[in-house]
């Protein structure tokens, strides 16, 4: 995977992704709080996109770098926007329907879906390590969601929320591949700008049907949510510019710590036993995939260096 990264800087990519995980967890907490205060998902998505669009355009204008937004790949940006806005509704929906920790844990299945997508779309042939990771990860999903689907007694996790969470993880895997492809020719600013430029007007058309008045506190929370979303969007895009998706997605697992903390401190909810048993299996599966990707990348690099040495 490293060969597809625009500017490989793995340690920088890992640090950026850590910051993105914390920012995304904070945004998810704010989404859950504002939705409980009367804001609909459509409205939250609109404000998230509008605030991001204004922030990016304003910063680039102040820096005299609006030329960074030029692109010859509008169709690719349009495809990314369609998938991105769908993914955003799925991610927000999972956050609303599920406790934060459970929603976060289901989101960690993205690397597993990335392996399956590689098989389906690119005819990749995963070895025993990656197939083992997929089996381990989905065993964790079964443990985590078993109260939802009647496989055991427990927390009463919402079945619809569990399904939405898994679909959200699938969409994140697809979007990560799209962003990594765009990063080869586009700047992070351009990728985020065109995503918001395509989707903000679309969400604006739906806003009159869902908008309700809010008190000042709710508006403040919506603004904070939008700012966190804007920052997270840039951090996620930048991380995929400097590091392989198969490796840096591992840093997303730290979001579970933030989600658990917010669930306890904001929503006064102690995670159920199914989370403590299921989440480690999912995290271990992702870690195994990341480790295998790094080994394969190192082997390819050594082979390439050997061929270059022989060619001399």
């Amino acid at each position: 995977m490293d060969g597809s990264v625009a500017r490989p800087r793995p340690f920088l990519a890992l640090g950026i992704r850590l910051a993105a995980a914390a920012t995304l967890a904070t945004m998810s907490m704010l989404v859950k709080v504002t939705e409980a205060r009367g804001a609909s998902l459509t409205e939250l998505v609109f404000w998230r996109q509008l605030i991001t669009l204004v922030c990016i355009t304003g910063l680039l204008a102040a820096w005299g770098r609006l030329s960074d937004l030029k692109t010859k790949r509008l169709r690719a940006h349009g495809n990314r926007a369609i998938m991105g806005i769908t993914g955003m509704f799925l991610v927000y929906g999972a956050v609303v329907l599920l406790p934060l920790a459970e929603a976060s844990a289901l989101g960690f299945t993205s690397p597993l879906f990335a392996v399956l997508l590689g098989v389906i779309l690119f005819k990749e042939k995963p070895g025993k390590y990656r197939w083992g990771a997929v089996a381990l990860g989905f065993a964790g999903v079964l443990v985590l969601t078993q109260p939802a689907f009647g496989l055991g007694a427990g927390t009463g996790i919402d079945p619809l929320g569990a399904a939405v969470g898994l679909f959200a993880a699938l969409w994140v895997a697809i979007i990560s591949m799209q962003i990594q492809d765009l990063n080869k020719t586009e700047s992070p600013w351009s990728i985020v700008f065109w995503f918001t430029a395509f989707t903000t007007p679309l969400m604006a058309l739906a806003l009159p049907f869902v908008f309700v008045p809010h008190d000042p506190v709710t508006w403040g929370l919506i603004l904070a949510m939008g700012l966190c979303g804007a920052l997270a969007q840039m951090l996620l895009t930048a991380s995929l510019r400097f590091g392989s998706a198969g490796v840096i997605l591992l840093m997303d697992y730290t979001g579970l710590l933030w989600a658990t903390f917010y669930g306890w401190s904001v929503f006064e909810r102690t995670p159920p036993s199914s989370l403590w048993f299921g989440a480690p299996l999912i995290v271990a599966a992702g870690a195994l995939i990341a480790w295998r990707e790094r080994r394969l990348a190192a082997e390819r690099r050594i082979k390439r260096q050997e061929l270059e040495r022989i060619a001399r």
Side-chain angles (χ1 to χ4, degrees):
M1 283 189 180
D2 289 337
S4 64
V5 176
R7 296 173 59 191
R9 297 181 65 182
F11 288 106
L12 176 61
L14 293 175
I16 292 173
R17 199 77 183 193
L18 279 172
T23 307
L24 278 174
T26 303
M27 184 197 70
S28 295
M29 177 271 291
L30 292 169
V31 166
K32 198 170 184 68
V33 170
T34 50
E35 193 275 340
R37 296 177 68 93
S40 69
L41 285 185
T42 301
E43 183 182 355
L44 291 176
V45 170
F46 167 76
W47 291 116
R48 150 75 187 275
Q49 295 299 83
L50 177 63
I51 291 172
T52 302
L53 180 61
V54 170
C55 288
I56 290 177
T57 306
L59 285 174
L60 290 181
W63 295 340
R65 292 176 52 188
L66 287 175
S67 59
D68 288 3
L69 302 180
K70 292 181 180 179
T71 182
K72 295 181 180 179
R73 301 186 64 186
L74 277 179
R75 177 173 294 183
H77 284 291
N79 292 335
R80 182 267 188 276
I82 293 171
M83 296 301 295
I85 203 66
T86 303
M88 191 175 294
F89 272 102
L90 288 170
V91 170
Y92 281 20
V95 166
V96 169
L97 293 170
L98 295 172
L100 284 178
E102 283 86 330
S104 179
L106 288 177
F108 297 155
T109 58
S110 286
L112 313 182
F113 285 115
V115 172
L116 297 178
L117 288 171
V119 174
I120 297 171
L121 300 179
F122 305 110
K123 308 303 179 183
E124 293 181 356
K125 296 180 179 180
K128 59 183 180 181
Y129 289 103
R130 284 191 284 181
W131 279 128
V134 170
L136 181 65
F138 283 110
V141 170
L142 288 177
V143 172
L144 180 63
T145 61
Q146 51 86 16
F149 298 110
L151 301 178
T155 63
I157 181 176
D158 183 9
L160 176 60
V164 171
L166 288 172
F167 272 109
L170 169 62
W171 245 252
V172 169
I174 296 172
I175 294 165
S176 293
M177 293 179 177
Q178 290 181 313
I179 293 174
Q180 198 154 24
D181 176 65
L182 284 168
N183 265 322
K184 296 176 183 178
T185 59
E186 311 292 294
S187 71
W189 295 105
S190 175
I191 294 171
V192 178
F193 171 82
W194 287 109
F195 173 41
T196 56
F198 275 118
T199 55
T200 300
L202 181 64
M203 292 296 97
L205 293 176
L207 192 62
F209 301 98
V210 297
F211 177 78
V212 295
H214 300 299
D215 58 44
V217 173
T218 303
W219 278 119
L221 293 170
I222 290 174
L223 176 61
M225 181 275 302
L227 291 174
C228 283
L231 177 59
Q233 192 78 58
M234 285 303 305
L235 291 172
L236 289 170
T237 303
S239 70
L240 289 166
R241 186 173 183 81
F242 296 116
S244 169
V247 176
I248 63 174
L249 285 175
L250 182 62
M251 297 300 100
D252 292 355
Y253 299 138
T254 60
L256 180 58
L257 302 176
W258 290 101
T260 303
F261 170 73
Y262 285 135
W264 168 74
S265 62
V266 178
F267 302 102
E268 299 180 345
R269 187 182 189 278
T270 302
S273 59
S274 60
L275 177 72
W276 299 123
F277 287 103
L281 295 177
I282 298 172
V283 171
L288 179 57
I289 291 174
W291 171 80
R292 187 57 180 165
E293 289 295 337
R294 292 188 66 181
R295 285 287 300 272
L296 292 174
E299 291 173 4
R300 287 194 295 267
R301 184 169 59 254
I302 293 172
K303 186 179 294 186
R304 186 169 59 250
Q305 291 171 349
E306 182 65 19
L307 291 174
E308 291 174 353
R309 187 186 65 79
I310 295 174
R312 295 194 190 102

